[in-house]
Amino acid sequence: MASRTTNTKKTASKTTRSKPAPKTASAKMGSPSDDELISSLRHYIRVRGPHLLEDPNITSVGVGRKVTGDQPGGEVALQFTVATKAEPEVLESLGTELIPATITVDGFEVPTDVIERTYKPSFHMVAEVESPLRKSRMDPIRPGASVGAVTVSAGTIGCIVFDRADGTPYVLSNWHVLHGPLGELGIEVVQPGMRDDNRIDRNRMGVLKRSHLGVAGDCAVATIEDRGSLPEILELEVAPRTLGEPELGDKVVKSGRSTGVTHGIVRRVDTIAKINYGGGTGQRTIGCFEIGPDPDHPSADGEVSSGGDSGAVWLFKEGDDRVSSVLAGLHFAGEGTGDPDEHALACLSTSVFEKLDITLSQPAPEQLEIIAGYDADFLGERVEAPELDADLAQDAALLDGSPVIPYTHFSLTLNKKRRFPFWVAWNVDGGSLKKLSRSGIPFVKDQRLPATAQVGNELYQANRLDRGHIARRADLLWGSLPEARKANTDSFFYTNITPQMDDFNQSAKNGVWGALEDAVFADVDVDDLRISVFGGPVFQDDDRVYRGVRIAHEFYKVIAFTENGELKARAFLLTQNLDQLEALELDEFRVFQVTLGEVEDRTRVRFPAALHKGDILHVPESVADRPPLENTADIQWG
């Protein structure tokens, strides 16, 4: 199909005895309502739109109201835009066909409308008069300001959004602003964009995290690093809170880098447009809606959008002309060069947010999805999680058939008989640790596991028994702030908790047991400030029983790290005596540095070969010749 210049009708289908003739959509009796017709046309465009765009002269197809002269009429139409309007006799030379005056959709003949119009992405630079504030480095950053990948000139920050899975904050803009034909995931993003200030080191804002270019939209998100952010859009002073669906006639407003605040009216919906992005990207089909100028609020230079506005968000306006907090769409394109018809194109907000897996509201920690637990590749050299001897494995609680239960930054295997963990494995990123309060976070049972396999508050209430973390809470608070908050909450699951008697608390003589992780960072040049830690109770048959629960009185910890590229492992026991036969009930608990093999002998928890290779501690043959650690300076890290 292609353009036409006359109203000569070309029948879409012929009548037969068994098939009634199609009805016109404007018939007074039995005609559909506008809403019903628009719904049918939406489905038609989704199914047939990509085929229609195969015609080289058709630049878009969407739902609009028929234009008579310069004024849109009241009749809903299937609206085509074409690169060139031509007389029927020259259509063949353009490689196109006549667009019929009507097209049958769901039994109704729907009128078509043909407009001469082409599109281009809104990132080609033009002369601008906007305030330099939008083009300056901001901290905190604000939507409406300049941004771009280091290979792109400049576009606009649309709004602040959050990762639906882990709550990480991002800036939302276009693919052609944050990615571009020369970019890739992980490319550096600067604020302001390179067009406005080419000092990359000074202006680095983050990296490209996720992007999409296709029917769902021209969209991307980038991280925000070492800067704050505010959600209110420059000059509009409103933060988007919810997503909306544009309808014909809706009034909208945007705040962009180049033209600032401009007002528009939605004049085509459910549109798909062909856009040429140049380079190796070429022509792409983008789902969108079209916005024309609002005559009640004309812009100073007549432009509803211009180069550099790409990535701005359009917000709906209330009936009293106030700006709402409902997001209509993501601006990405405008009219082509020389096109006198001023307009803008925007991606549907719902499609963009679904494709990028983002949300406008930062999820609360308890709403976040579980982030992968212990990372075996965290140190560069793979260090697998521990395993159990075969006779112990049958006592492990299973989650979805696996004995390994993941949490944020840690994993564990739970002894369903003793109801405490066999082992807990966790990663510590010392370079991104956060200080977060524990106030108000409750200890809870993990609802993914049977309650009967966990010891809850029934053991700890109305006594002096303490609830002690195996994976130290402070060790887990790293990564993005939402990630750290989620880890903070996860650390309080009872599966990570063991009871600590008063005499256990006395065991941290000079703070050695609680300071082991801190000590390795202080005393060793740890590669990338990363360590992995393994710990848990040592279960013994003669452990004391309290309220029907056997309480372990001995614990182990193994710390793994790399130093100058070499993997090392150091093991420790918190015990009364290394010789279990000589342990006395009233002996003081002490910290001993031991070999990994000694931990395995005591626990029957087996550690991977990579850790054994890194365990080069030499100890006296007689346990009597091994004194306990008096302070962290006694630890042999080398």
Side-chain angles (χ1 to χ4, degrees), residues 131-154:
S131 162
L133 171 64
R134 294 178 183 269
K135 304 172 190 175
S136 303
R137 186 186 189 278
M138 292 185 173
D139 189 3
I141 60 170
R142 294 277 303 275
S146 170
V147 74
V150 292
T151 57
V152 175
S153 54

Side-chain angles (χ1 to χ4, degrees), residues 40-84:
S40 293
L41 289 173
R42 282 175 173 165
H43 178 73
Y44 178 84
I45 291 172
R46 281 196 298 269
V47 174
R48 294 283 298 159
H51 171 72
L52 296 173
L53 290 182
E54 291 176 1
D55 187 307
N57 196 40
I58 296 177
T59 56
S60 76
V61 58
V63 181
R65 295 192 180 274
K66 198 168 181 67
V67 177
T68 303
D70 293 331
Q71 299 298 319
E75 190 175 24
V76 173
L78 187 63
Q79 200 170 67
F80 293 83
T81 63
V82 295
T84 304

Side-chain angles (χ1 to χ4, degrees), residues 92-138:
E92 186 175 353
S93 65
L94 294 175
T96 185
E97 298 178 0
L98 183 71
I99 294 176
T102 63
I103 290 179
T104 303
V105 178
D106 287 350
F108 291 93
E109 284 191 11
V110 180
T112 63
D113 196 18
V114 182
I115 303 170
E116 191 172 55
R117 184 179 298 159
T118 58
Y119 302 99
K120 66 174 184 178
S122 291
F123 68 101
H124 298 295
M125 294 297 101
V126 296
E128 301 156 13
V129 296
E130 185 53 36
S131 162
L133 171 64
R134 294 178 183 269
K135 304 172 190 175
S136 303
R137 186 186 189 278
M138 292 185 173

Side-chain angles (χ1 to χ4, degrees), residues 28-308:
K28 289 186 179 180
M29 301 215 29
S31 62
S33 67
D34 280 0
D35 287 345
E36 291 172 329
L37 186 57
I38 289 172
S39 178
S40 293
L41 289 173
R42 282 175 173 165
H43 178 73
Y44 178 84
I45 291 172
R46 281 196 298 269
V47 174
R48 294 283 298 159
H51 171 72
L52 296 173
L53 290 182
E54 291 176 1
D55 187 307
N57 196 40
I58 296 177
T59 56
S60 76
V61 58
V63 181
R65 295 192 180 274
K66 198 168 181 67
V67 177
T68 303
D70 293 331
Q71 299 298 319
E75 190 175 24
V76 173
L78 187 63
Q79 200 170 67
F80 293 83
T81 63
V82 295
T84 304
K85 270 192 172 184
E87 297 297 331
E89 58 268 19
V90 300
L91 294 180
E92 186 175 353
S93 65
L94 294 175
T96 185
E97 298 178 0
L98 183 71
I99 294 176
T102 63
I103 290 179
T104 303
V105 178
D106 287 350
F108 291 93
E109 284 191 11
V110 180
T112 63
D113 196 18
V114 182
I115 303 170
E116 191 172 55
R117 184 179 298 159
T118 58
Y119 302 99
K120 66 174 184 178
S122 291
F123 68 101
H124 298 295
M125 294 297 101
V126 296
E128 301 156 13
V129 296
E130 185 53 36
S131 162
L133 171 64
R134 294 178 183 269
K135 304 172 190 175
S136 303
R137 186 186 189 278
M138 292 185 173
D139 189 3
I141 60 170
R142 294 277 303 275
S146 170
V147 74
V150 292
T151 57
V152 175
S153 54
T156 299
I157 296 173
C159 59
I160 305 300
V161 296
F162 302 92
D163 190 295
R164 192 181 300 277
D166 63 23
T168 300
Y170 301 133
V171 297
L172 171 66
S173 192
N174 292 142
W175 176 92
H176 70 263
V177 172
L178 301 180
H179 190 146
L182 302 179
E184 59 184 5
L185 294 182
I187 191 173
E188 287 188 305
V189 174
V190 289
Q191 191 289 309
M194 294 292 287
R195 169 84 179 197
D196 302 318
D197 188 338
N198 61 8
R199 293 173 290 180
I200 295 176
D201 290 343
R202 176 182 183 273
N203 297 326
R204 185 183 188 278
M205 183 195 71
V207 298
L208 174 66
K209 183 68 175 181
R210 220 169 280 152
S211 68
H212 174 75
L213 184 64
V215 174
D218 174 345
C219 52
V221 290
T223 59
I224 304 168
E225 302 172 16
D226 302 322
R227 289 201 227 179
S229 63
L230 293 175
E232 289 77 18
I233 300 173
L234 285 170
E235 295 189 46
L236 297 180
E237 303 307 324
V238 171
R241 300 298 181 194
T242 55
L243 305 181
E245 182 98 4
E247 300 291 350
L248 293 174
D250 284 341
K251 291 192 173 186
V252 291
V253 62
K254 72 113 183 73
S255 177
R257 166 198 173 273
S258 302
T259 56
V261 174
T262 57
H263 303 256
I265 297 178
V266 176
R267 66 183 190 187
R268 278 209 303 168
V269 295
D270 298 284
T271 301
I272 54 175
K274 290 189 303 194
I275 308 289
N276 190 341
Y277 286 86
T281 306
Q283 186 170 275
R284 295 297 180 92
T285 299
I286 311 296
C288 57
F289 63 97
E290 185 178 290
I291 300 159
D294 182 351
D296 294 335
H297 297 278
S299 57
D301 56 3
E303 297 283 343
V304 72
S305 69
S306 189

Side-chain angles (χ1 to χ4, degrees), residues 31 35 81 347 501 588 599 601:
S31 62
D35 287 345
T81 63
C347 313
M501 300 294 287
E588 179 185 358
V599 172
D601 291 343

